[in-house]
Amino acid sequence: CSLQAGLAVLLKAERLFHSSYHSQAVHIRPICRVSHWFAQLLCDGFTVVACLFLVQDASCLAVSWELRQTLTVVFDFFSSGQGKKDWSLFKMFSRTLTDTCPLASQSKVYVDISPKNKEKELLEVSPPPTSVHEAIVQGDKKTYAVYDLLSPSLFNTSRSLNVQLKWKRPQDSSEMPIPTLHAQRYVGGYGLQTGQICTLIYNTHPYRAFPVILLETVPWYLRLYVHTLTIITKGKENKPS
């Protein structure tokens, strides 16, 4: 569908590259194919239950390749919009969704509608979502409004879908919820000899630990050496394996 239909309509270059952060990635990995099926009959006198089991090839002789392309974009409207947390697809991308791509098996938009404090922060999304999805993310219960572009009723009332999130009461611009996991990074020193990258990762959960995968993008003007890597946790140095 290219840029004619589906979620790719939102990929307007001048909006994406002027955002606070953007990252494009291509992930390719081998996946073992399913080798065969077998059936097992369970008999308890009168009832016969047939069960099908998937068995993967232990030697992995048959391999398929999975290609996954991702685009991550961060818009900071809280800082640029005078402390307002309202947003919409048109405000972010200067475009709206007009139709789904007929070749897509799935095409959905998820909006996080789980506020930190339900009494102080009351939000509403429009138009009404096609469904609501709940999940546990980093130990917290999250609620997502789901817009299924393949749903026939989504484009019945209008040929344009502009998802909007608005807050029912003004918010204090000085109070921004801190994510459970967040990070900061800065470049120190100068040149190839003393230049360095420092990354700080914070876990604000009162008792739970989380596994973290850190992917660093090295600036072109720095040359990093693996033997200079140091990891410090709670003031103590950890030796990387």
Side-chain angles (χ1 to χ4, degrees), residues 82-101:
Q82 299 178 351
K84 296 181 180 180
K85 293 190 286 185
D86 300 345
W87 58 264
S88 66
L89 290 182
F90 184 79
K91 186 177 180 180
M92 288 187 292
F93 302 100
S94 296
R95 294 182 180 181
T96 58
L97 295 173
T98 56
D99 200 358
T100 183
C101 179

PDB file of all heavy atoms in Angstrom, residues 82-101:
ATOM      1  N   GLN A  82       2.944  24.459  25.866  1.00  0.00           N
ATOM      2  CA  GLN A  82       2.649  25.245  27.063  1.00  0.00           C
ATOM      3  C   GLN A  82       2.066  24.382  28.175  1.00  0.00           C
ATOM      4  O   GLN A  82       1.112  24.764  28.859  1.00  0.00           O
ATOM      5  CB  GLN A  82       1.698  26.401  26.722  1.00  0.00           C
ATOM      6  CG  GLN A  82       2.265  27.380  25.707  1.00  0.00           C
ATOM      7  CD  GLN A  82       1.271  28.474  25.356  1.00  0.00           C
ATOM      8  OE1 GLN A  82       0.108  28.410  25.734  1.00  0.00           O
ATOM      9  NE2 GLN A  82       1.751  29.489  24.643  1.00  0.00           N
ATOM     10  N   GLY A  83       2.643  23.206  28.358  1.00  0.00           N
ATOM     11  CA  GLY A  83       2.231  22.348  29.457  1.00  0.00           C
ATOM     12  C   GLY A  83       0.956  21.578  29.241  1.00  0.00           C
ATOM     13  O   GLY A  83       0.440  20.975  30.182  1.00  0.00           O
ATOM     14  N   LYS A  84       0.428  21.549  28.024  1.00  0.00           N
ATOM     15  CA  LYS A  84      -0.793  20.807  27.748  1.00  0.00           C
ATOM     16  C   LYS A  84      -0.451  19.402  27.272  1.00  0.00           C
ATOM     17  O   LYS A  84       0.468  19.216  26.476  1.00  0.00           O
ATOM     18  CB  LYS A  84      -1.632  21.527  26.694  1.00  0.00           C
ATOM     19  CG  LYS A  84      -2.144  22.887  27.139  1.00  0.00           C
ATOM     20  CD  LYS A  84      -2.995  23.527  26.054  1.00  0.00           C
ATOM     21  CE  LYS A  84      -3.520  24.884  26.495  1.00  0.00           C
ATOM     22  NZ  LYS A  84      -4.357  25.529  25.452  1.00  0.00           N
ATOM     23  N   LYS A  85      -1.200  18.440  27.774  1.00  0.00           N
ATOM     24  CA  LYS A  85      -0.949  17.044  27.406  1.00  0.00           C
ATOM     25  C   LYS A  85      -1.936  16.531  26.364  1.00  0.00           C
ATOM     26  O   LYS A  85      -1.957  15.337  26.069  1.00  0.00           O
ATOM     27  CB  LYS A  85      -1.000  16.168  28.658  1.00  0.00           C
ATOM     28  CG  LYS A  85       0.134  16.450  29.636  1.00  0.00           C
ATOM     29  CD  LYS A  85       0.217  15.431  30.731  1.00  0.00           C
ATOM     30  CE  LYS A  85      -0.878  15.594  31.750  1.00  0.00           C
ATOM     31  NZ  LYS A  85      -0.729  14.660  32.883  1.00  0.00           N
ATOM     32  N   ASP A  86      -2.774  17.401  25.817  1.00  0.00           N
ATOM     33  CA  ASP A  86      -3.694  16.986  24.752  1.00  0.00           C
ATOM     34  C   ASP A  86      -2.914  16.718  23.468  1.00  0.00           C
ATOM     35  O   ASP A  86      -1.932  17.408  23.178  1.00  0.00           O
ATOM     36  CB  ASP A  86      -4.746  18.066  24.497  1.00  0.00           C
ATOM     37  CG  ASP A  86      -5.586  18.354  25.729  1.00  0.00           C
ATOM     38  OD1 ASP A  86      -5.543  17.539  26.665  1.00  0.00           O
ATOM     39  OD2 ASP A  86      -6.262  19.396  25.753  1.00  0.00           O
ATOM     40  N   TRP A  87      -3.364  15.732  22.715  1.00  0.00           N
ATOM     41  CA  TRP A  87      -2.709  15.433  21.444  1.00  0.00           C
ATOM     42  C   TRP A  87      -3.723  14.776  20.501  1.00  0.00           C
ATOM     43  O   TRP A  87      -4.800  14.355  20.907  1.00  0.00           O
ATOM     44  CB  TRP A  87      -1.498  14.515  21.637  1.00  0.00           C
ATOM     45  CG  TRP A  87      -1.811  13.201  22.287  1.00  0.00           C
ATOM     46  CD1 TRP A  87      -1.692  12.882  23.613  1.00  0.00           C
ATOM     47  CD2 TRP A  87      -2.299  12.015  21.642  1.00  0.00           C
ATOM     48  NE1 TRP A  87      -2.086  11.587  23.838  1.00  0.00           N
ATOM     49  CE2 TRP A  87      -2.465  11.032  22.645  1.00  0.00           C
ATOM     50  CE3 TRP A  87      -2.617  11.701  20.326  1.00  0.00           C
ATOM     51  CZ2 TRP A  87      -2.935   9.758  22.359  1.00  0.00           C
ATOM     52  CZ3 TRP A  87      -3.096  10.429  20.039  1.00  0.00           C
ATOM     53  CH2 TRP A  87      -3.234   9.469  21.053  1.00  0.00           C
ATOM     54  N   SER A  88      -3.343  14.688  19.259  1.00  0.00           N
ATOM     55  CA  SER A  88      -4.156  14.024  18.236  1.00  0.00           C
ATOM     56  C   SER A  88      -3.226  13.548  17.126  1.00  0.00           C
ATOM     57  O   SER A  88      -2.076  13.992  17.021  1.00  0.00           O
ATOM     58  CB  SER A  88      -5.221  14.965  17.665  1.00  0.00           C
ATOM     59  OG  SER A  88      -4.614  16.023  16.941  1.00  0.00           O
ATOM     60  N   LEU A  89      -3.731  12.662  16.302  1.00  0.00           N
ATOM     61  CA  LEU A  89      -2.933  12.178  15.168  1.00  0.00           C
ATOM     62  C   LEU A  89      -2.591  13.324  14.222  1.00  0.00           C
ATOM     63  O   LEU A  89      -1.469  13.406  13.715  1.00  0.00           O
ATOM     64  CB  LEU A  89      -3.696  11.078  14.415  1.00  0.00           C
ATOM     65  CG  LEU A  89      -3.862   9.734  15.127  1.00  0.00           C
ATOM     66  CD1 LEU A  89      -4.604   8.750  14.231  1.00  0.00           C
ATOM     67  CD2 LEU A  89      -2.516   9.167  15.557  1.00  0.00           C
ATOM     68  N   PHE A  90      -3.551  14.202  13.981  1.00  0.00           N
ATOM     69  CA  PHE A  90      -3.285  15.311  13.065  1.00  0.00           C
ATOM     70  C   PHE A  90      -2.255  16.275  13.651  1.00  0.00           C
ATOM     71  O   PHE A  90      -1.420  16.818  12.928  1.00  0.00           O
ATOM     72  CB  PHE A  90      -4.585  16.059  12.760  1.00  0.00           C
ATOM     73  CG  PHE A  90      -4.418  17.154  11.738  1.00  0.00           C
ATOM     74  CD1 PHE A  90      -4.361  16.845  10.394  1.00  0.00           C
ATOM     75  CD2 PHE A  90      -4.290  18.477  12.132  1.00  0.00           C
ATOM     76  CE1 PHE A  90      -4.192  17.841   9.439  1.00  0.00           C
ATOM     77  CE2 PHE A  90      -4.126  19.480  11.195  1.00  0.00           C
ATOM     78  CZ  PHE A  90      -4.078  19.175   9.847  1.00  0.00           C
ATOM     79  N   LYS A  91      -2.279  16.481  14.963  1.00  0.00           N
ATOM     80  CA  LYS A  91      -1.310  17.375  15.595  1.00  0.00           C
ATOM     81  C   LYS A  91       0.095  16.803  15.507  1.00  0.00           C
ATOM     82  O   LYS A  91       1.071  17.536  15.360  1.00  0.00           O
ATOM     83  CB  LYS A  91      -1.703  17.612  17.054  1.00  0.00           C
ATOM     84  CG  LYS A  91      -0.848  18.643  17.765  1.00  0.00           C
ATOM     85  CD  LYS A  91      -1.346  18.874  19.181  1.00  0.00           C
ATOM     86  CE  LYS A  91      -0.469  19.917  19.891  1.00  0.00           C
ATOM     87  NZ  LYS A  91      -0.943  20.155  21.280  1.00  0.00           N
ATOM     88  N   MET A  92       0.211  15.484  15.577  1.00  0.00           N
ATOM     89  CA  MET A  92       1.527  14.859  15.526  1.00  0.00           C
ATOM     90  C   MET A  92       2.050  14.698  14.103  1.00  0.00           C
ATOM     91  O   MET A  92       3.201  15.000  13.814  1.00  0.00           O
ATOM     92  CB  MET A  92       1.490  13.495  16.229  1.00  0.00           C
ATOM     93  CG  MET A  92       1.380  13.577  17.739  1.00  0.00           C
ATOM     94  SD  MET A  92       1.554  11.973  18.548  1.00  0.00           S
ATOM     95  CE  MET A  92       0.059  11.167  18.002  1.00  0.00           C
ATOM     96  N   PHE A  93       1.192  14.192  13.209  1.00  0.00           N
ATOM     97  CA  PHE A  93       1.652  13.797  11.885  1.00  0.00           C
ATOM     98  C   PHE A  93       1.175  14.719  10.762  1.00  0.00           C
ATOM     99  O   PHE A  93       1.559  14.511   9.612  1.00  0.00           O
ATOM    100  CB  PHE A  93       1.192  12.368  11.570  1.00  0.00           C
ATOM    101  CG  PHE A  93       1.663  11.342  12.548  1.00  0.00           C
ATOM    102  CD1 PHE A  93       0.821  10.875  13.541  1.00  0.00           C
ATOM    103  CD2 PHE A  93       2.960  10.853  12.493  1.00  0.00           C
ATOM    104  CE1 PHE A  93       1.245   9.925  14.448  1.00  0.00           C
ATOM    105  CE2 PHE A  93       3.398   9.898  13.395  1.00  0.00           C
ATOM    106  CZ  PHE A  93       2.543   9.440  14.384  1.00  0.00           C
ATOM    107  N   SER A  94       0.324  15.696  11.088  1.00  0.00           N
ATOM    108  CA  SER A  94      -0.289  16.575  10.083  1.00  0.00           C
ATOM    109  C   SER A  94      -1.124  15.787   9.085  1.00  0.00           C
ATOM    110  O   SER A  94      -1.387  16.253   7.971  1.00  0.00           O
ATOM    111  CB  SER A  94       0.782  17.392   9.332  1.00  0.00           C
ATOM    112  OG  SER A  94       1.445  18.262  10.213  1.00  0.00           O
ATOM    113  N   ARG A  95      -1.551  14.598   9.459  1.00  0.00           N
ATOM    114  CA  ARG A  95      -2.379  13.761   8.619  1.00  0.00           C
ATOM    115  C   ARG A  95      -3.309  12.932   9.501  1.00  0.00           C
ATOM    116  O   ARG A  95      -3.084  12.797  10.704  1.00  0.00           O
ATOM    117  CB  ARG A  95      -1.544  12.826   7.736  1.00  0.00           C
ATOM    118  CG  ARG A  95      -0.709  13.542   6.693  1.00  0.00           C
ATOM    119  CD  ARG A  95       0.058  12.573   5.832  1.00  0.00           C
ATOM    120  NE  ARG A  95       0.866  13.248   4.829  1.00  0.00           N
ATOM    121  CZ  ARG A  95       1.628  12.618   3.936  1.00  0.00           C
ATOM    122  NH1 ARG A  95       1.673  11.306   3.920  1.00  0.00           N
ATOM    123  NH2 ARG A  95       2.330  13.303   3.054  1.00  0.00           N
ATOM    124  N   THR A  96      -4.321  12.362   8.900  1.00  0.00           N
ATOM    125  CA  THR A  96      -5.225  11.454   9.586  1.00  0.00           C
ATOM    126  C   THR A  96      -5.302  10.145   8.809  1.00  0.00           C
ATOM    127  O   THR A  96      -4.845  10.056   7.665  1.00  0.00           O
ATOM    128  CB  THR A  96      -6.635  12.068   9.706  1.00  0.00           C
ATOM    129  OG1 THR A  96      -7.133  12.363   8.393  1.00  0.00           O
ATOM    130  CG2 THR A  96      -6.600  13.346  10.541  1.00  0.00           C
ATOM    131  N   LEU A  97      -5.887   9.137   9.427  1.00  0.00           N
ATOM    132  CA  LEU A  97      -6.050   7.844   8.773  1.00  0.00           C
ATOM    133  C   LEU A  97      -7.324   7.860   7.939  1.00  0.00           C
ATOM    134  O   LEU A  97      -8.397   8.189   8.450  1.00  0.00           O
ATOM    135  CB  LEU A  97      -6.111   6.727   9.823  1.00  0.00           C
ATOM    136  CG  LEU A  97      -4.833   6.525  10.637  1.00  0.00           C
ATOM    137  CD1 LEU A  97      -5.065   5.509  11.749  1.00  0.00           C
ATOM    138  CD2 LEU A  97      -3.689   6.079   9.747  1.00  0.00           C
ATOM    139  N   THR A  98      -7.192   7.525   6.688  1.00  0.00           N
ATOM    140  CA  THR A  98      -8.325   7.589   5.770  1.00  0.00           C
ATOM    141  C   THR A  98      -8.865   6.214   5.382  1.00  0.00           C
ATOM    142  O   THR A  98     -10.031   6.090   5.033  1.00  0.00           O
ATOM    143  CB  THR A  98      -7.935   8.341   4.499  1.00  0.00           C
ATOM    144  OG1 THR A  98      -6.784   7.691   3.909  1.00  0.00           O
ATOM    145  CG2 THR A  98      -7.578   9.785   4.821  1.00  0.00           C
ATOM    146  N   ASP A  99      -8.030   5.186   5.433  1.00  0.00           N
ATOM    147  CA  ASP A  99      -8.479   3.861   5.021  1.00  0.00           C
ATOM    148  C   ASP A  99      -7.454   2.852   5.496  1.00  0.00           C
ATOM    149  O   ASP A  99      -6.310   3.196   5.808  1.00  0.00           O
ATOM    150  CB  ASP A  99      -8.646   3.776   3.498  1.00  0.00           C
ATOM    151  CG  ASP A  99      -9.555   2.628   3.091  1.00  0.00           C
ATOM    152  OD1 ASP A  99     -10.005   1.896   3.995  1.00  0.00           O
ATOM    153  OD2 ASP A  99      -9.816   2.465   1.895  1.00  0.00           O
ATOM    154  N   THR A 100      -7.872   1.596   5.546  1.00  0.00           N
ATOM    155  CA  THR A 100      -6.961   0.533   5.930  1.00  0.00           C
ATOM    156  C   THR A 100      -6.311  -0.074   4.695  1.00  0.00           C
ATOM    157  O   THR A 100      -6.849   0.010   3.584  1.00  0.00           O
ATOM    158  CB  THR A 100      -7.700  -0.562   6.711  1.00  0.00           C
ATOM    159  OG1 THR A 100      -6.763  -1.560   7.131  1.00  0.00           O
ATOM    160  CG2 THR A 100      -8.749  -1.211   5.841  1.00  0.00           C
ATOM    161  N   CYS A 101      -5.164  -0.667   4.886  1.00  0.00           N
ATOM    162  CA  CYS A 101      -4.495  -1.358   3.779  1.00  0.00           C
ATOM    163  C   CYS A 101      -5.131  -2.732   3.603  1.00  0.00           C
ATOM    164  O   CYS A 101      -5.133  -3.537   4.542  1.00  0.00           O
ATOM    165  CB  CYS A 101      -3.001  -1.484   4.073  1.00  0.00           C
ATOM    166  SG  CYS A 101      -2.084  -2.356   2.788  1.00  0.00           S
TER     167      CYS A 101
END
